[in-house]
Amino acid sequence: MEQHTKILDCTIRDGGLVNNWDFSVEFVQDLYNGLSEAGVEYMEIGYKNSPKLLKATEPNPWRFLDDNFLKEIIPVKKFTKLSALVDIGRVDPNDILPREHSVLDMIRVACYIREVDKGLELVQMFHDLGYETSLNIMALSSVPEQQLIKAFELVKESPVDVVYIVDSFGSLDPIDIEHQVKKFKAMVPNKQLGIHTHNNMQLAFANTLTAIRNGVTFLDSSVYGMGRAAGNCNTELLVSYIQKSSYEIKPVLGVIEKHMLEMRQKWEWGYIIPYMISGVLNEHPRVAMAYRDSTDRDKFVDFYDKVTSPEVSVSVATATK
């Protein structure tokens, strides 16, 4: 079963949520080369959102990927395919070239359950332009069953290649993952499934392994776990664990050694108590992230009291809608 899996490394895209995509060109190139040597199948090189629609004042090449820029950065494609993520309402269709004119191979669409119809319109467009596609439905842990069933009737009929189970809040455990995978398989038997985990409760790797054992083929991860808040399943763990002769751990270790030890001194991600608390409470980590940016960052009891008091719970719930 593991022979059919594919790793999609999203260090630049999800890790960019940690450092506002402040990655050097050298790092991105070294990461791409390292992942190619390691045999990792995909690398998500950022977002393909439109700066106009987000009213962005500063150019941010990894948050607003430009095809000409990408051709300069990666003049020669190696083993690893490239993907980009788009959000509903943040992508300008005019910015998307046909696949044969782009460095990108795959475009993934992230949406909440209420926007699945809009997400699938984008999927159709990218599919028609020749791209591999995925639909990543966020915040699954709080979606009512009935809503899921209705959405998946649309998904089943769409040309989307991969449908992702996304543990946005890092609040799911292996039993939840197994349940979700079985549910997804029953609802979209004609699609490949993917898994995207966060490490709030130190279960990202275990949840990914559970997904593999239940037939999920696309595995999101990031090098050194670098992703929003508690981070993701670690690419180096998957490369060393999955029995695939094409995988080689040393190039990934080289990237960590050369770049990421220093990055970890500068930016914070990974298993940290406020992120653990937000995972346990099945809440979006934005409140915990703001707390880590404050002078009270290490007052864990205070943070716990704040997020479990009724009035805060209400404001957190409203913020995640």
Side-chain angles (χ1 to χ4, degrees):
M1 183 64 75
E2 290 170 9
Q3 295 303 317
H4 302 301
T5 55
K6 294 178 171 72
I7 297 173
L8 190 149
D9 181 274
C10 46
T11 308
I12 303 301
R13 205 269 313 158
D14 210 322
L17 294 159
V18 172
N19 67 352
N20 198 31
W21 297 277
D22 184 11
F23 295 110
S24 68
V25 166
E26 183 199 13
F27 172 66
V28 175
Q29 289 173 327
D30 284 354
L31 181 65
Y32 180 72
N33 293 332
L35 292 172
S36 281
E37 286 168 35
V40 169
E41 288 84 0
Y42 293 81
M43 167 173 152
E44 192 145 79
I45 196 163
Y47 281 96
K48 192 83 179 83
N49 289 335
S50 160
K52 295 188 291 288
L53 296 175
L54 280 165
K55 299 187 171 47
T57 47
E58 56 194 84
N60 193 314
W62 317 114
R63 194 175 172 211
F64 307 112
L65 290 168
D66 174 82
D67 281 285
N68 294 325
F69 172 75
L70 275 180
K71 283 179 185 132
E72 287 171 34
I73 299 302
I74 306 212
V76 180
K77 288 282 282 292
K78 297 188 175 175
F79 172 78
T80 301
K81 290 181 174 180
L82 289 173
S83 87
L85 190 77
V86 300
D87 295 308
I88 303 294
R90 293 178 170 185
V91 57
D92 182 346
N94 299 318
D95 290 346
I96 312 293
L97 296 176
R99 182 179 176 180
E100 64 265 25
H101 301 311
S102 173
V103 178
L104 297 171
D105 301 283
M106 180 182 226
I107 301 183
R108 309 202 299 167
V109 177
C111 67
Y112 290 103
I113 195 87
R114 62 181 180 272
E115 311 162 319
V116 160
D117 53 342
K118 293 193 185 86
L120 291 174
E121 282 173 25
L122 285 177
V123 161
Q124 184 71 56
M125 179 181 81
F126 301 142
H127 172 80
D128 292 344
L129 288 167
Y131 293 96
E132 295 174 48
T133 57
S134 86
L135 187 71
N136 298 28
I137 303 170
M138 300 179 287
L140 268 180
S141 53
S142 46
V143 173
E145 193 85 3
Q146 208 41 48
Q147 218 177 345
L148 209 56
I149 291 164
K150 260 171 75 174
F152 275 85
E153 284 168 11
L154 301 174
V155 175
K156 201 158 97 178
E157 301 308 312
S158 83
V160 70
D161 298 303
V162 190
V163 182
Y164 264 84
I165 295 158
V166 181
D167 181 15
S168 298
F169 304 160
S171 59
L172 302 180
D173 67 18
I175 292 166
D176 300 322
I177 296 291
E178 186 166 353
H179 173 69
Q180 293 281 7
V181 173
K182 285 180 173 160
K183 201 159 64 175
F184 273 49
K185 276 185 149 171
M187 290 195 283
V188 283
N190 57 334
K191 303 297 181 190
Q192 295 182 82
L193 298 182
I195 182 82
H196 180 93
T197 58
H198 280 268
N199 209 29
N200 300 61
M201 301 197 299
Q202 295 203 337
L203 289 171
F205 183 49
N207 284 342
T208 303
L209 296 190
T210 301
I212 295 171
R213 289 180 189 135
N214 284 277
V216 168
T217 48
F218 272 74
L219 317 172
D220 276 18
S221 63
S222 54
V223 175
Y224 214 32
M226 186 182 187
R228 187 197 62 199
N232 309 109
C233 178
N234 295 49
T235 301
E236 61 275 14
L237 280 174
L238 291 181
V239 167
S240 48
Y241 180 86
I242 294 171
Q243 300 301 301
K244 219 182 210 190
S245 57
S246 51
Y247 286 160
E248 168 61 62
I249 183 70
K250 282 207 299 193
V252 184
L253 298 180
V255 171
I256 296 171
E257 190 180 309
K258 182 177 176 186
H259 293 283
M260 301 197 77
L261 295 176
E262 198 178 319
M263 288 161 78
R264 189 66 182 74
Q265 297 295 310
K266 194 171 172 186
W267 298 299
E268 178 180 272
W269 70 87
Y271 174 77
I272 289 155
I273 297 298
Y275 301 149
M276 178 275 281
I277 292 167
S278 67
V280 168
L281 296 174
N282 189 23
E283 297 287 7
H284 194 291
R286 66 167 68 88
V287 177
M289 290 171 82
Y291 199 78
R292 291 302 289 167
D293 272 342
S294 75
T295 49
D296 292 338
R297 51 184 304 165
D298 291 325
K299 292 183 177 170
F300 301 147
V301 175
D302 178 61
F303 178 74
Y304 183 78
D305 286 342
K306 273 194 167 79
V307 294
T308 52
S309 68
E311 62 276 14
V312 174
S313 302
V314 169
S315 68
V316 169
T318 314
T320 59
K321 278 181 182 152

